[in-house]
């Protein structure tokens, strides 16, 4: 379909001769997702109706305690410092953004009075600005009013280099103006197709100015409220034991009538994914368990008890192996894996290509993930509009051997390859988790057949995903040759997701390892494509740029994708929890309830 035909269809929707639903169906049939089709209509001045909540409460509270299990326990509760999902989720209990993303990729107002559109004057036709009207009558948990000053402050806070906020990428290239006490204007430096980033979803949670303004810059980590949050959410802070437990109690002054349903919430940390699934599906000790990365065969057995169910929520999360572009064994100015160095082994393209052939993705899907993980050769797998058809993956030990032979890597007496006096020996780390250790074993076995010695390392999840800048074992430090984890894509757009390969996002000592580019890979072509996508309003051209970015990452073996992972949660039989693959699990905690 060309641009003229597309505009004719949109004109029919405006005229009322074609329904929104029919238009969306047509776009889905062409490879777009429903969220993207809805955004196209929004850009054309056709606002979508606010998604209706299935929860129709008649009173606030009365639901008892909601018991949730996060086997990676939260370590801090400031969303601007949350490098891991566990910290984002712990923060989301108390803090809210202006809007969140539902399962269909629609924006849902949280602290905003309405979703900006061209129709209501909120969204500029030239893509240069957006106006947010804030909900009135909202109070912080300490009784202070929530106003535009808080929104502006969050922009100032996140963009302060001395704060070293992990959320800086969403705020760095914008300007925020207060128009009145409950209206702000976000101004972009150039036409911006994806305007719903700042103040939205995972990186949009807002902290109170009056409690953080004295802790700006270098003092940001000293704020007491980093560990004792005061937000606007449905639950108020009770106590927090890092890595163990977060407790909240009902916010009786919450700005949504008759919400929330539960009187209290507990977010328990620790353990592992299997014990978490069992605690919901078999013993019924908990109501909800997050990120159930468990062999599908085990999940099916646990579900037989009838006490709960596995919720599989489509999104774009990717379990992948990262190949370090820098030298993790050489220290430069007190920093290992410095961007000024090159990896002693992976700087040889043949080694990188061979490694990509030694990951048996089909076996990982068949024997570990089943319905919860799909083998893939792409880093960017969803929405379909952005999925590359140019990539291929293969598991081929023989071809890997041929590549290494041709590159001059000779087998020594012990069978391990050597070149220029350096052994082909790699340290491969990930978090402690049964599927990941099985994955490590599969990769190690294949590497042995190719003359590569692999030492595996398993780090406790709460340590591996810690925000502690003094911790040497975090995945952001990347003090090893290869590592594996899942990167989440908590938005129905790949803009933020794909910035993790931009050169300006490199994790380093200077930014307290808060940068999102963990591999430390640098590519002028990639940076140029990303910058182009930031301002490209044509959805077809923009999709092509993201596909090229994905292809560059795969062609250069920056990462080796393993399986595309829909989100898997364990949910008690009577619990109703609206989940989304494009936001936090707790994105709409206000609507969680237990059926009578």
């Amino acid at each position: 379909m060309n641009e003229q035909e597309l505009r004719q269809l949109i004109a029919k929707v405006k005229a009322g001769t074609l329904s929104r639903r029919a238009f969306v169906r047509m776009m889905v049939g062409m490879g777009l997702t429903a969220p993207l089709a809805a955004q196209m209509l929004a850009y054309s001045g056709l606002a979508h109706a606010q998604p209706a909540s299935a929860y129709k409460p008649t009173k606030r509270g009365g639901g008892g305690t909601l018991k949730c299990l996060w086997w990676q326990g939260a370590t801090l509760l400031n969303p601007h410092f949350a490098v891991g999902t566990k910290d984002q989720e712990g923060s989301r209990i108390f803090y809210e953004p202006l809007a969140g993303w539902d399962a269909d990729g629609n924006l849902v107002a949280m602290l905003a009075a309405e979703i900006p559109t061209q129709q209501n004057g909120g969204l500029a036709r030239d893509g240069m600005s957006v106006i947010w009207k804030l909900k009135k009558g909202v109070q912080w948990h300490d009784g202070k009013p929530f106003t535009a000053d808080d929104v502006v402050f969050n922009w100032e806070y996140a963009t302060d280099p001395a704060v070293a906020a992990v959320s800086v990428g969403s705020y760095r290239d914008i300007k925020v103006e207060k128009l009145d006490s409950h209206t702000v204007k976000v101004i972009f430096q150039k036409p911006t197709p994806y305007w719903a980033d700042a103040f939205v979803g995972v990186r949009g949670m807002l902290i109170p100015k009056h409690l953080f303004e004295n802790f700006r810059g270098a003092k940001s980590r000293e704020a007491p409220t980093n560990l004792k949050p005061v937000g606007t959410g449905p639950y108020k802070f009770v106590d927090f034991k890092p890595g163990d437990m977060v407790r909240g109690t009902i916010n009786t002054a919450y700005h949504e009538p008759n919400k929330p349903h539960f009187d209290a919430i507990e977010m328990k940390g620790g353990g592992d994914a299997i014990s978490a699934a069992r605690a919901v599906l078999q013993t019924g000790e908990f109501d909800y368990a997050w990120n159930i990365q468990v062999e599908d065969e085990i999940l099916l057995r646990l579900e037989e008890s009838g006490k709960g169910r596995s919720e599989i929520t489509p999104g774009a999360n990717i379990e992948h192996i990262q190949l370090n572009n820098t030298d993790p064994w050489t220290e430069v100015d007190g920093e290992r894996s410095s961007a000024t160095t090159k990896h002693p082994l992976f700087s040889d393209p043949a080694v990188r290509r061979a490694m990509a052939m030694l990951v048996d993705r089909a076996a990982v899907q068949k024997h570990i993930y089943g319905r919860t993980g799909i083998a893939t050769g792409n880093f960017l797998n969803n929405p379909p509009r952005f999925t590359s058809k140019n990539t291929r993956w293969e598991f081929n030990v023989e071809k890997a051997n041929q590549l290494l032979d041709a590159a001059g890597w000779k087998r020594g007496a012990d069978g391990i390859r050597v070149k220029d006096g350096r052994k082909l020996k790699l340290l491969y780390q990930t978090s402690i988790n049964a599927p990941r250790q099985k994955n490590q074993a599969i990769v190690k076995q294949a590497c042995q057949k190719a003359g590569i010695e692999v030492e595996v390392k398993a780090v406790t999840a709460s340590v591996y995903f810690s925000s502690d800048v003094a911790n040497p074992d975090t995945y952001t430090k990347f003090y090893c040759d290869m590592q594996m984890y899942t990167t989440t894509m908590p938005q129905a757009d790949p803009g933020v997701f794909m910035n993790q390969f931009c050169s300006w996002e490199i994790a380093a000592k200077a930014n307290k390892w808060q940068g999102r580019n963990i591999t430390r890979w640098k590519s002028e072509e990639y940076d140029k494509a990303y910058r182009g996508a930031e301002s490209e309003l044509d959805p077809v051209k923009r999709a092509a740029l993201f596909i090229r970015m994905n292809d560059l990452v795969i062609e250069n073996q920056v990462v080796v994708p393993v399986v595309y992972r829909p989100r898997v949660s364990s949910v008690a039989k009577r619990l109703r929890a609206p989940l989304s693959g494009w936001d936090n699990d707790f994105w709409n905690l206000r609507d969680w309830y237990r059926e009578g």
Side-chain angles (χ1 to χ4, degrees):
M1 181 177 290
N2 60 35
E3 182 180 356
Q4 184 178 358
E5 292 172 324
L6 181 59
R7 295 191 188 283
Q8 288 174 348
L9 285 176
I10 292 174
K12 288 182 179 181
V13 178
K14 285 184 176 180
T17 57
L18 179 68
S19 71
R20 290 178 61 92
R21 180 172 294 180
F23 175 84
V24 171
R25 281 205 198 108
M26 292 176 70
M27 295 300 104
V28 170
M30 293 174 56
L32 270 72
T33 60
L36 289 175
Q39 286 184 39
M40 290 170 66
L41 293 177
Y43 271 114
S44 301
L46 290 158
H48 65 77
Q50 181 77 9
S53 171
Y55 180 42
K56 308 295 182 185
T58 57
K59 68 171 186 174
R60 194 191 308 275
T65 299
L66 174 64
K67 297 180 126 185
C68 302
L69 193 51
W70 253 251
W71 51 274
Q72 294 172 17
T75 55
L76 56 80
L77 298 175
N78 182 333
H80 290 290
F81 297 151
V83 297
T85 306
K86 65 194 184 336
D87 298 325
Q88 295 167 354
E89 296 284 3
S91 299
R92 199 67 174 261
I93 295 174
F94 311 105
Y95 293 116
E96 297 175 298
L98 296 185
W101 296 100
D102 73 5
D104 295 322
N106 294 314
L107 281 172
V108 178
M110 299 286 179
L111 291 174
E114 61 184 9
I115 299 302
T117 64
Q118 289 184 10
Q119 194 174 44
N120 63 23
L123 189 60
R125 289 186 178 277
D126 61 4
M128 292 296 291
S129 66
V130 59
I131 294 174
W132 287 95
K133 294 181 179 178
L134 311 182
K135 194 172 185 180
K136 295 182 178 179
V138 178
Q139 293 181 348
W140 296 101
H141 293 156
D142 60 4
K144 295 289 194 306
F146 163 72
T147 70
D149 291 327
D150 294 300
V151 180
V152 174
F153 170 77
N154 274 261
W155 164 63
E156 295 171 341
Y157 182 89
T159 54
D160 183 342
V163 170
V166 72
S167 56
V168 63
S170 296
Y171 300 92
R172 178 172 42 211
D173 298 324
I174 64 174
K175 181 180 179 182
V176 182
E177 294 180 352
K178 171 185 174 182
L179 299 186
D180 61 39
S181 67
H182 283 78
T183 311
V184 296
K185 184 177 184 179
V186 178
I187 302 169
F188 305 110
Q189 296 180 357
K190 53 192 173 184
T192 300
Y194 186 59
W195 52 269
D197 181 17
F199 310 119
V200 173
V202 171
R203 301 211 287 181
M205 287 177 269
L206 296 165
I207 61 176
K209 176 182 179 180
H210 66 279
L211 294 178
F212 282 93
E213 62 183 337
N214 292 328
F215 295 94
R216 299 194 194 206
K219 296 174 62 180
S220 62
R221 302 280 168 165
E222 301 171 14
T225 325
N226 287 340
L227 301 177
K228 298 180 179 180
V230 176
T232 59
Y235 297 97
K236 298 171 67 172
F237 176 78
V238 174
D239 62 32
F240 174 41
K241 295 177 182 177
D244 179 23
M245 178 72 80
V246 182
R247 284 192 176 92
T249 188
I250 189 169
N251 177 9
T252 55
Y254 188 56
H255 55 87
E256 286 281 320
N258 300 327
K259 298 179 183 181
H261 169 75
F262 294 98
D263 303 304
I265 182 172
E266 293 180 357
M267 177 183 172
K268 173 68 177 174
D272 54 48
I274 291 179
S275 61
R278 186 175 293 114
V280 175
L281 302 177
Q282 191 174 69
T283 69
E285 182 184 356
F286 285 84
D287 299 301
Y288 183 85
W290 157 90
N291 189 23
I292 302 304
Q293 191 172 5
V294 174
E295 293 95 324
D296 198 28
E297 179 184 355
I298 295 175
L299 279 181
L300 290 168
R301 286 203 308 269
L302 291 175
E303 288 171 357
E304 291 176 358
S305 71
K307 291 187 177 181
R309 63 191 183 278
S310 295
E311 290 278 0
I312 300 176
T313 308
N317 300 348
I318 177 72
E319 181 84 354
H320 66 292
I321 298 170
Q322 297 180 335
L323 307 186
N324 201 334
N325 276 267
T326 59
D327 188 348
W329 312 114
T330 299
E331 189 172 295
V332 178
D333 296 328
E335 177 182 10
R336 288 161 56 188
S337 290
S338 166
T340 62
T341 64
K342 289 186 177 181
H343 194 279
L345 304 176
F346 288 138
S347 54
D348 184 340
V351 177
R352 303 181 77 88
R353 288 198 294 271
M355 184 54 63
M357 292 181 181
L358 294 170
V359 178
D360 192 350
R361 292 167 244 218
V364 171
Q365 177 180 341
K366 180 179 179 180
H367 299 296
I368 301 176
Y369 287 96
R371 59 189 165 150
T372 69
I374 299 94
T376 180
N378 285 316
F379 188 78
L380 177 56
N381 289 275
N382 205 10
R385 183 70 170 178
F386 298 105
T387 304
S388 175
K389 294 180 174 61
N390 307 320
T391 59
R392 298 288 183 275
W393 65 268
E394 65 174 323
F395 173 65
N396 194 321
V397 177
E398 181 180 354
K399 190 178 288 188
N401 271 306
Q402 292 171 355
L403 275 171
L404 295 171
D405 286 339
W409 290 92
K410 306 299 183 183
R411 290 181 184 263
D414 57 359
I416 306 304
R417 294 180 182 272
V418 182
K419 182 179 180 180
D420 298 331
R422 186 180 290 274
K423 275 194 170 187
L424 196 44
K425 179 178 180 180
L426 302 167
L427 176 60
Y428 175 22
Q429 77 174 11
T430 189
S431 63
I432 294 177
N433 172 292
R436 286 186 173 144
Q437 270 66 76
K438 289 188 177 182
N439 186 308
Q440 284 180 312
I442 289 172
V443 172
K444 180 175 181 175
Q445 184 180 43
C447 285
Q448 286 174 335
K449 295 177 181 178
I452 302 173
E453 182 179 351
V454 174
E455 177 187 350
V456 296
K457 177 180 178 181
V459 184
T460 302
S462 60
V463 174
Y464 188 54
F465 296 106
S466 171
S467 303
D468 181 4
V469 296
N471 179 356
D473 287 325
T474 64
Y475 75 101
T476 59
K477 291 281 184 68
F478 205 170
Y479 288 172
C480 62
D481 303 298
M482 307 190 311
Q483 65 180 6
M484 178 173 59
Y485 61 93
T486 288
T487 288
T488 60
M489 180 172 156
Q491 296 163 312
D493 182 274
V496 174
F497 182 73
M498 293 300 282
N499 80 353
Q500 62 193 282
F501 300 109
C502 294
S503 62
W504 55 87
E505 282 286 342
I506 286 177
K509 181 181 178 182
N511 58 30
K512 299 178 183 177
W513 295 277
Q514 300 295 295
R516 299 191 70 238
N517 185 342
I518 310 300
T519 65
R520 279 76 156 167
W521 179 63
K522 290 183 280 189
S523 164
E524 289 184 9
E525 185 179 355
Y526 188 95
D527 288 351
K528 183 178 179 181
Y530 187 88
R531 287 302 193 198
E534 284 184 309
S535 57
E536 181 55 71
L537 296 177
D538 184 318
V540 177
K541 292 179 180 177
R542 189 165 182 267
L545 287 168
F546 279 112
I547 287 172
R548 181 55 186 153
M549 286 180 242
N550 173 85
D551 292 352
L552 283 168
V553 170
I554 301 306
E555 289 166 5
N556 289 280
Q557 295 85 39
V558 182
V559 299
V560 181
V562 183
V563 290
Y564 153 62
R565 288 183 58 205
R567 294 191 188 182
V568 183
S569 310
S570 293
V571 185
K573 184 177 181 180
R574 293 166 51 211
L575 180 65
R576 295 296 171 259
L579 301 175
S580 170
W582 309 114
D583 209 324
N584 290 128
D585 284 24
F586 280 157
W587 80 278
N588 200 16
L589 189 57
R590 64 188 184 182
D591 279 3
W592 286 35
Y593 69 99
R594 187 181 287 120
E595 288 185 332

